[in-house]
Amino acid sequence: MSSEMNRPAEAGQHPEPAAAAALSPSSSSHSAPLQPQTLREAVGPTYFPIALIARFPYAMMVVGVLTLVVAARDSISLGGLTSAMVGLGTACFGPLIGAAADRWGQRPVVLAAGVANSLALLLLAWTAYSPLGSWSVLSAAFLIGASAPQVPPMSRSRLVGIITGQLPAARQQKTLNGTMAYESAVDEVAFVFGPLVVGLLAAAMGPAAPIIGAAVLTAIFVTSFALHRTSRAVPHHTEHDVAPAPTRALFSPGLLVVLVGVLGIGLVFGSTLTSLTSFMDDAGHAERAGLAYSAMGVGSAAFALGAALFPTGFSLRARWLTFAALILVGAVGMRIAAAAAEPQLLLLMVALLVIGIGIGPTLVTVFSLVAQRSPQGRSATAMSMATTGIVVGQSAASAITGALAENYGTAVAALVPLLAAGVILVAAVVNWFLSRSR
């Protein structure tokens, strides 16, 4: 097995013995026979569908905001800036929401964030068509990002806590690997098909429909996620608990390099979608951009799930380096297709497929590393920082790539996915040497 998986769990990966005993159904002789043998038994049949649908509003935010503002205010530059404000809000408050969950528990924090996010989404839907100035739109977008409920990191934190606290020790590592693969796959499904949902709703019901739909989904499914019994799987800290690791532990080199890699993945998402939209517009098929983009998601989700089948000798650092190189190859192909004299749609589709095959396993790998390297008592915070990196990268890349496409053309815009892939690869190389030294 790889060095990452063989070494003892790092701080934050496993609960303290007392907490584990409290979580485990086998903590007493009377309840031992009731110990769940699989993760599905532990979380119940409704958890995974709820957690999947609850992710979609988070994945729809950036593209939905862009679509609404461009249609309502007739300004691509304002739309890109508004999307960037969503990312800025998430960057400022996403990790704080995770820290609050570590301190007070997930249920009250996710409930409060869900209510605030639903109201912020509805506020944007109103201000976009109101006579108020651009400041109102930008402010509402910032509130949307700041109140995003952070379902993906909360879900990972819950499941890691359940696996390490309730399942038999012999099944924990294999279940953890498969769970990280599944979580990354459903993240990929949400982040790729979220824009497709936005496009369908906007085309069928108007530009405000995706934002209103996201508000409704948040109110129903994020609330259900918050109230699910698994919200108590990651207990909050009190004065009687072992003190969590200091905040500075979140900025260790091993964790920071992973967060840079996650940011690169977000940059790939945003730049690929925007440059693809520009490419399809040049080809006279702008309305098909969402469908073309979903082709990348199919390969990505499939290979993310397949990552659970990788041999244990294929270490996490080797996986990251391998699939980061594959993303770079796909980005090169996309740039060649965009720079050709005539639109090379077939080459573009092949390039998107290659990027997707690389992105899926890379997501699995980096989130597995975040789970391993989370400091004691800071798992939700670390997971929130990682997921925030995706939204920040997606927002920033969408704004930058859109401005380049509008002012300099698709060929220049297609350089941004290439640079984003380079960020992932450089982070993978640094992680290779950091992992060896560890």
Side-chain angles (χ1 to χ4, degrees):
M1 186 174 286
S2 67
S3 60
E4 289 94 332
M5 308 311 276
N6 266 338
R7 66 172 180 268
E10 300 181 37
Q13 185 181 356
H14 298 287
E16 290 296 308
L23 285 171
S24 174
S26 59
S27 57
S28 70
S29 59
H30 298 290
S31 59
L34 299 178
Q35 182 182 29
Q37 299 300 303
T38 66
L39 184 59
R40 181 178 173 81
E41 290 179 15
V43 302
T46 61
Y47 176 79
F48 289 110
I50 290 173
L52 171 61
I53 301 176
R55 280 171 160 86
F56 269 80
Y58 193 80
M60 294 165 61
M61 288 190 308
V62 174
V63 180
V65 166
L66 178 65
T67 301
L68 172 61
V69 173
V70 169
R73 298 288 175 125
D74 194 26
S75 172
I76 296 177
S77 60
L78 179 60
L81 185 58
T82 307
S83 295
M85 290 299 290
V86 174
L88 180 61
T90 304
C92 292
F93 288 92
L96 296 180
I97 291 175
D102 282 332
R103 178 64 182 86
W104 293 294
Q106 287 195 13
R107 178 168 293 180
V109 172
V110 176
L111 275 175
V115 171
N117 195 243
S118 294
L119 294 176
L121 287 164
L122 294 176
L123 177 63
L124 179 66
W126 178 77
T127 57
Y129 290 99
S130 75
L132 298 176
S134 299
W135 63 268
S136 64
V137 177
L138 296 175
S139 300
F142 181 85
L143 292 176
I144 289 173
S147 60
Q150 305 292 322
V151 171
M154 298 293 182
S155 179
R156 285 183 172 88
S157 183
R158 285 188 197 186
L159 296 178
V160 169
I162 291 171
I163 291 167
T164 57
Q166 296 187 23
L167 298 190
R171 304 179 66 94
Q172 288 181 10
Q173 190 59 68
K174 182 177 180 180
T175 304
L176 183 63
N177 291 343
T179 300
M180 289 299 103
Y182 168 80
E183 287 288 298
S184 296
V186 294
D187 276 350
E188 182 71 7
V189 168
F191 275 104
V192 171
F193 289 100
L196 178 61
V197 173
V198 169
L200 293 175
L201 287 175
M205 304 174 66
I211 294 298
I212 296 173
V216 173
L217 288 177
T218 298
I220 297 174
F221 288 96
V222 172
T223 299
S224 299
F225 177 80
L227 296 176
H228 196 274
R229 60 183 175 83
T230 56
S231 63
R232 302 188 184 279
V234 185
H236 62 274
H237 300 291
T238 70
E239 64 273 12
H240 303 296
D241 294 329
V242 175
T247 304
R248 65 177 179 273
L250 292 166
F251 300 96
S252 64
L255 187 55
L256 281 177
V257 71
V258 179
L259 296 179
V260 172
V262 173
L263 176 66
I265 292 173
L267 292 172
V268 168
F269 282 144
S271 61
T272 300
L273 175 59
T274 309
S275 55
L276 171 63
T277 302
S278 178
F279 179 95
M280 297 300 287
D281 186 50
D282 292 344
H285 303 291
E287 72 283 358
R288 300 180 186 176
L291 294 175
Y293 188 64
S294 64
M296 183 181 88
V298 172
S300 181
F303 274 79
L305 289 172
L309 304 177
F310 290 156
T312 55
F314 190 13
S315 66
L316 292 180
R317 65 174 185 163
R319 295 178 194 182
W320 188 356
L321 196 59
T322 300
F323 290 104
L326 200 60
I327 296 170
L328 184 62
V329 170
V332 170
M334 186 173 185
R335 165 74 173 116
I336 294 172
E342 296 292 332
Q344 300 292 320
L345 184 58
L346 179 59
L347 176 58
L348 179 71
M349 296 302 293
V350 172
L352 288 172
L353 180 62
V354 173
I355 292 174
I357 291 172
I359 282 286
T362 303
L363 268 174
V364 175
T365 301
V366 294
F367 276 107
S368 295
L369 288 171
V370 171
Q372 285 188 1
R373 299 175 183 178
S374 298
Q376 171 68 39
R378 302 284 186 181
S379 62
T381 307
M383 289 292 185
S384 294
M385 290 171 67
T387 309
T388 294
I390 293 180
V391 176
V392 170
Q394 185 185 33
S395 300
S398 296
I400 294 170
T401 309
L404 290 174
E406 183 172 344
N407 294 306
Y408 301 103
T410 303
V412 174
L415 289 172
V416 183
L418 196 58
L419 295 174
V423 170
I424 300 173
L425 184 59
V426 170
V429 172
V430 174
N431 178 74
W432 176 275
F433 290 104
L434 284 177
S435 298
R436 185 167 60 181
S437 65
R438 289 160 70 90

